[in-house]
Amino acid sequence: MTGPRRWHVRRRDAPFLALVALTLACIGGFLATGSDSPAGPGGGWRRIDRDALERRIEAGDLSGREALWYRAVEPARR
Amino acid sequence: MTRLPSRASLYVAFLVLGVYAQIAQALLVREGLVAFYGNEVSLGAFFGSWLFWTAVGSLAATRWQGRGEEALGVLRVVLLLLPVVLLLELGLFRAVRWVLSTAAGELVPLGQLLGSIALLNLPTGLAIGLAFPLAVQGLRLVERDPAGADVPGAVRAASALYALDAFGALAGGLLITFVLIDALGVWRSAALGLVGLGAVVAWLAPGARAWHAAGGIAAAAGVLLVVPAVGVALDTAMERWRFAALQPGLTLVDAVETRYGHFAVGRRGGQLSTVADGRVEGSFPDPEAARQDAAYYHSQADGPRRILLLGGVAGGLAAELLRYPLERLVVVQSDEQAFARLRPHLLADDRQALADPRLSLRFADGRQYVNDLSGTEGFDLVLVLAGDPASAQANRYYTRQFYAAVRRGMAPDGVLCTAVGGASNYFGREVQGYGASVFRTLGQAFAHVAVLPGDTQVYCASAIPGRVTEDPALLERRYLGMPLEEHRFPAIAFHSLLPAEHVRYTRARLGDPPGELNTDERPVTYWLNMVLWGKLSASGLVGGLERLRAMGPWPYLLPPALLVGLLLLRAANGTGSRARARREAAVLGLATLGFVAMAAQLVLLFSYQARVGFVFGRVALLNGVFMAGLAFGAGWLGAALAPRAAWALPALLGLVAGSALALPHVLSAVAGLDGTTVEAAYLGLCFAAGLLTGAGFPLAVDRTQRDTGNALRSSAVSQGADSLGGAAGGLLTGALLVPTLGLAGTSGVLGAAAALAAVPLLYAEYGPARLRWLAARAHPAFPSPAVVGALGFVVLFAGGMALLARGAAPGPQVRFDAGLLEAVSGATDFAERAQPFVHYVGLAPDGRAVAALGSEQLAAAVRGYGGPINLLVAVDEAGTLRGVRHLASRETPSYVAGIDDWLGRLRGQSLADGPLTLDRVDALSGATLTSRAALDSLSLAVRAVGPPAFGRSLAGQAAPRPPAWRQPGFVATLALLVLLAPVYRSGSDRARVVYLVAALAVLGVWLNTPLTEIDVLNLSLGQFAGLADNPQRWLLIAFAATSTVLFGPVWCGYLCPFGALQELLGRAGRLLRLRSYPDRSVETRVRFVKYVLLAAVLLVGWWTGETWRAAFDPMQHVFAGRWTGWVGALTVVVLGAAVIHFRFWCRYFCPVGALLNLGNKLALAGRFGPARRIERCDLGVTHEYDVDCIRCQRCVEGRDLGLPHHAPPRNGPPPILGGRRE
């Protein structure tokens, strides 16, 4: 190990360290605000639109009729 | 005044500690099983975390190195605290489900489960880990070697205590299994620890009143808690508390701890539930269900006379079965004690049934009972209702071998019925895989399998045709034909149970894709059950586990291979002593032995369970024999071999490797032995596994002691390594290795790991002390070699795993839901067509037919910057584009930032006249290659979908692209690279400045093709542009790679356009007298940031598969003119800082620069470059192979340097450059 073993932070290094900190803050800011690219289908967080959901429930869209994927079958005969 | 204890008292103390530790572990593991459902995940997590904390405790003990008396004092404190901590931990385990807020019936997510168990194991595991090295140090003090420096003495002490610990564990295991749990229950057994360890502490401190008093108080408290009046009351109160946490809403009726586990009966209203190891097994009364089940089973077997029922007695089924004209019903129950507690709460009908002379109740292991069937019993219906295969133990009732044994033991035309959890209407991937595995395995033993769909799926199987059926009318006829007093089940209900359409769907799903075969050697169904559990509990770990499984054995071999490589590198570079190399190799060898031993023992238990049957007492015996093997190995064999550890340790590892590889063959041979011999063989194998592992311990202590010269340190390090290896073995084997690789695959992994671990040992003993080529490059580069070593290991491991995951990854997305198809195309009523490739055909509102498909399945060869681009393309029958959406690609995120808007503008373009090209539409801003690749993908997809969707072609072929040598960008780049040779060789600073301007202009401003982190990520995963698509990119990447290997990071010094921009600004700054240098001690550490950023970029990119997080580098944006947001701010800061600090971004932050800098350690043809004058460097480079040189060659002429020269480095300490402004 040839590097110095202890920090020697002096006042005159403060501007340099401030620049380093600023750079890291900008990188952190970029990462924290996320990608500019749009989320793919189904990607990212979603928030339920409760009003829209309630409207659909009250309109009977989600109930009050048979689901599309059920089909009536012939009653079983003995 | 405390006197030193006698040697005998230390020996006894450690024996008692061994007993105690095993009891504590058994009590805690039972708590863990009850709180977390008792499968191999929780068992693996328990043993893994227990051993992990033991290792941490051992290593933490090194702070008392050489402080003998103090170590003894700490040992007494640890011994005194341990039983108190155990009581607290037991309480915490009982409260954990409160903390996790898990509702009754809800599954705890895997991540929460692992985290909770790991945290709860911390106190006891840590304390037990501390005790061993402290005791070794104490023993050396007693033996008049207070410094612990004597090698044979240290080996002897460590071996003796290790052996005593193992013997204690054996005794503890037998005590808790056969005596304590039955006689005292959980809390009074735990309180015994206070008595035992309190007495030991008093004995360990002769003449010390305070210690005597403390030990006495602990022992008295223990005695008080063991007294029935107190202990039983505590037990009952804690039982109610736990039950309230586990099953909120149920009232505890009765509970019992048996040697098989925990069993309880709870009540809610008029309903009783049985709860085994925290899981509700069943509820009763449910007379309709019992009636239906009995009618169904009887009808499938067409009036059976002799029935064998494994499990399922509580729900009233036995009583219902007996209403039919039977000769005999044999009910097999494994836990007699639990059944005795259930019996008074059974329904009157069931109690009456138990008294029926036709029913015979057997207490035996169901698997063993079936194995012992001779076939003369003539069972014509066997009901296996032993619960879902949620653990390896339960899985034994679902393997091919079990079904084969049932078939041998039943009548030739007999029927086997079994039931597992399913899904009533929809089969997701996990339910499908799980159910299909049972279905397929059953089908291997029986030619005919009938399925009853539902939330619980019932499978009935028979070897002869026509016996089991899915025809409700036939079942109805059979049922009505039975001579019953009253047909209480409404026979018409068979039609509701088996609607033809539902049965057809279920059968189709169970067969496509075919399920995995579940065998004793590869018990995969319980793994699939765990995956289902993870999915139901919304655990994020499930995906990772499945990816791991798809990779085969390599994830388990990668870590040891990397460790071996790093150790060899360290041993050969000549920076450390041979003794250090031996110690490090021995520690790895012992960790591997710990890993192999734990894994081998689990393999033996799996095999034993399957072959002989799960007899709890025998398993305790098997573990005990293993422990005895450990004790003999450490106390006798290892201690005898210790003076010859140089060859004995690698030879031992070789022997272990050979044994592990031979294990599957040995187990096959054992399977052919008869009853008594087979048990003796298993006991022998367990003893051998323990003996080999135990023998390694003193050998490793010997090698460690010779380097450290301290008994406490060497025993701590050895125990730490042993425990860490065991932790990995415990965590991986039961939950991952055996179910995914099978016994043979697991043995292969173990053998390979042991063989690998022998390599550094052999090198350390017999290899050269240093290799000249490596030694020349061994100049330490970073502030902390240990941190860098760990970081390097993590990065290499993650990279290897990413490559493995890529190899096992599924293909591109080709299937889409209706919502997405409609949103992209505007058409509706899409129908999927699977041939000749997956595509959809729908109808647009204007009446035109529209086809939609994923492009990558047809255009995988078309590549942008980072490989293929998958688009969802919709085109109508006239060849008009109805919509396109970007699905996935590995392009630089900034290149595809606006791609969906751009693709949206393509809607309405006609492809009937030919493919879309950049001649017809504008490219996406700043991403010509990506745009071209997207258009090519789209055109190819449209051309391919025409014939299958509409019966005709929709688009013509693309015009050929001009050859590379006619593309101006390629020619300019080639010229730049050709010119580099004379400029670089000359070492001329002026020529270099001109060259930098050219590189900035051509590679930056004109072509915008810097080498970025995204390229590094894509290259690391084997994703890159096609050679024909982007020859200029290939040229640059190939040049950067070659020049780095040959000369170091020449790319950084000459070609990187962003580096050039910074340097030109920095030179201007120097002319303006703004240049400044930070102090070397600060600067050296800040330089390390770029390596951390590189590691982070790689790790996050590999882990998430996304590249946008690597897009923070301003060089990815600056030449595209994106100067907004955080990236814009960063660009301004970096370029401003570059005026003051030479190449500010390159030197401190650039991840690509960090990677290329590693080329300094190679620089294979460095001597052909200009002679550097390192003593002139103003950036702190001090050595020929210093990792931080960016090959700027300013030192050659010394024109742009801002600091005075320092002395050329020789062997003395490095110069410290004082920070100063010019």
Side-chain angles (χ1 to χ4, degrees), chain B residues 696-839:
Chain B
F697 193 82
L699 301 178
V701 171
D702 177 87
R703 303 326 267 164
T704 315
Q705 175 76 10
R706 284 177 196 281
D707 184 44
T708 63
N710 182 272
L712 184 142
R713 185 141 181 240
S714 50
S715 57
V717 168
S718 301
Q719 159 134 323
D722 191 23
S723 300
L724 273 181
L731 203 57
L732 294 177
T733 309
L736 285 171
L737 280 169
V738 173
T740 60
L741 301 179
L743 292 186
T746 303
S747 300
V749 167
L750 301 182
L756 273 171
V759 175
L761 275 167
L762 290 170
Y763 185 90
E765 296 294 346
Y766 307 111
R770 65 198 291 269
L771 297 177
R772 193 186 298 167
W773 188 88
L774 267 181
R777 290 162 167 79
H779 174 77
F782 305 106
S784 166
V787 171
V788 171
L791 199 62
F793 173 81
V794 170
V795 169
L796 290 172
F797 176 66
M801 291 295 283
L803 282 177
L804 289 171
R806 190 177 144 69
Q813 184 185 1
V814 294
R815 289 193 160 80
F816 311 97
D817 60 43
L820 181 63
L821 291 170
E822 287 179 28
V824 171
S825 68
T828 54
D829 297 330
F830 278 99
E832 182 183 322
R833 296 182 184 175
Q835 297 300 329
F837 48 81
V838 178
H839 64 283

Side-chain angles (χ1 to χ4, degrees), chain B residues 552-570:
Chain B
W554 307 111
Y556 313 104
L557 292 174
L558 186 60
L562 284 175
L563 280 173
V564 166
L566 289 174
L567 277 189
L568 287 176
L569 197 63
R570 206 162 137 83

Side-chain angles (χ1 to χ4, degrees), chain A residues 1-10 12-13 16-17 19-20 22-27 29-31 33-38 41 70-71 73 76-78, chain B residues 425 476 480 492 495 501 779-780 782-783 820 887 897 900 1078-1079 1081-1082 1084-1086 1108-1109 1111-1112 1126-1127 1129-1130 1133 1137 1141 1144-1145 1148-1149 1214 1219:
Chain A
M1 169 81 204
T2 57
R5 288 184 184 278
R6 282 184 297 177
W7 285 81
H8 301 283
V9 183
R10 295 172 195 166
R12 64 177 171 230
D13 290 325
F16 171 72
L17 290 174
L19 279 173
V20 169
L22 199 56
T23 305
L24 289 173
C26 288
I27 294 174
F30 171 81
L31 294 175
T33 51
S35 158
D36 290 340
S37 61
Y70 279 97
R71 284 198 292 280
V73 291
R77 279 175 302 184
R78 291 189 66 176
Chain B
N425 288 315
E476 189 182 359
L480 292 173
I492 194 165
H495 293 271
E501 202 174 338
H779 174 77
F782 305 106
L820 181 63
L887 296 170
D900 270 333
D1079 189 277
S1081 73
V1082 173
T1084 305
R1085 285 168 172 83
V1086 178
W1108 71 264
R1109 289 182 189 82
F1112 59 82
W1126 284 106
V1127 164
L1130 181 61
V1133 170
H1141 299 290
F1144 181 71
W1145 180 260
Y1148 306 116
F1149 298 101

Side-chain angles (χ1 to χ4, degrees), chain B residues 861-1095:
Chain B
V862 177
R863 284 157 180 261
Y865 279 103
I869 297 173
N870 199 16
L871 304 172
L872 173 55
V873 179
V875 63
D876 68 21
E877 57 191 311
T880 305
L881 212 52
R882 291 287 180 146
V884 195
R885 183 170 288 183
H886 175 243
L887 296 170
S889 71
R890 289 199 154 264
E891 301 295 280
T892 305
S894 62
Y895 291 171
V896 290
I899 194 166
D900 270 333
D901 288 341
W902 178 72
L903 290 172
R905 288 197 292 275
L906 301 181
R907 184 189 286 237
Q909 291 276 352
S910 172
L911 283 95
D913 307 327
L916 284 182
T917 63
L918 289 179
D919 299 331
R920 291 176 59 185
V921 295
D922 290 336
L924 182 60
S925 172
T928 307
L929 185 75
T930 304
S931 310
R932 193 191 299 143
L935 293 179
D936 285 356
S937 298
L938 185 160
S939 301
L940 269 174
V942 169
R943 203 157 67 86
V945 81
F950 309 119
R952 62 192 182 81
S953 181
L954 297 177
Q957 205 148 9
R961 207 164 283 139
W965 54 269
R966 283 175 56 188
Q967 296 172 18
F970 180 85
V971 175
T973 305
L974 187 62
L976 203 60
L977 298 182
V978 169
L979 280 173
L980 178 64
V983 175
Y984 181 68
R985 286 279 299 158
S986 74
S988 159
D989 195 54
R990 286 207 177 89
R992 183 169 165 274
V993 171
V994 173
Y995 193 86
L996 287 176
V997 172
L1000 173 62
V1002 174
L1003 302 180
V1005 177
W1006 176 23
L1007 298 173
N1008 185 16
T1009 53
L1011 195 59
T1012 73
E1013 294 74 13
I1014 310 292
D1015 294 309
V1016 174
L1017 271 177
N1018 283 334
L1019 285 168
S1020 70
L1021 292 170
Q1023 311 221 41
F1024 30 76
L1027 181 59
D1029 292 318
N1030 197 349
Q1032 189 260 1
R1033 196 80 186 148
W1034 271 98
L1035 187 63
L1036 279 185
I1037 289 172
F1039 182 83
T1042 313
S1043 61
T1044 301
V1045 169
L1046 293 178
F1047 299 102
V1050 176
W1051 170 271
C1052 298
Y1054 283 80
L1055 280 155
C1056 175
F1058 193 58
L1061 177 60
Q1062 288 178 79
E1063 182 162 339
L1064 295 173
L1065 287 171
R1067 284 175 180 260
R1070 180 169 173 268
L1071 294 176
L1072 296 170
R1073 304 182 70 79
L1074 292 173
R1075 183 175 292 180
S1076 174
Y1077 294 88
D1079 189 277
R1080 175 84 193 281
S1081 73
V1082 173
E1083 205 252 3
T1084 305
R1085 285 168 172 83
V1086 178
R1087 266 191 261 160
F1088 191 58
V1089 171
K1090 62 177 176 283
Y1091 298 99
V1092 176
L1093 284 177
L1094 171 65

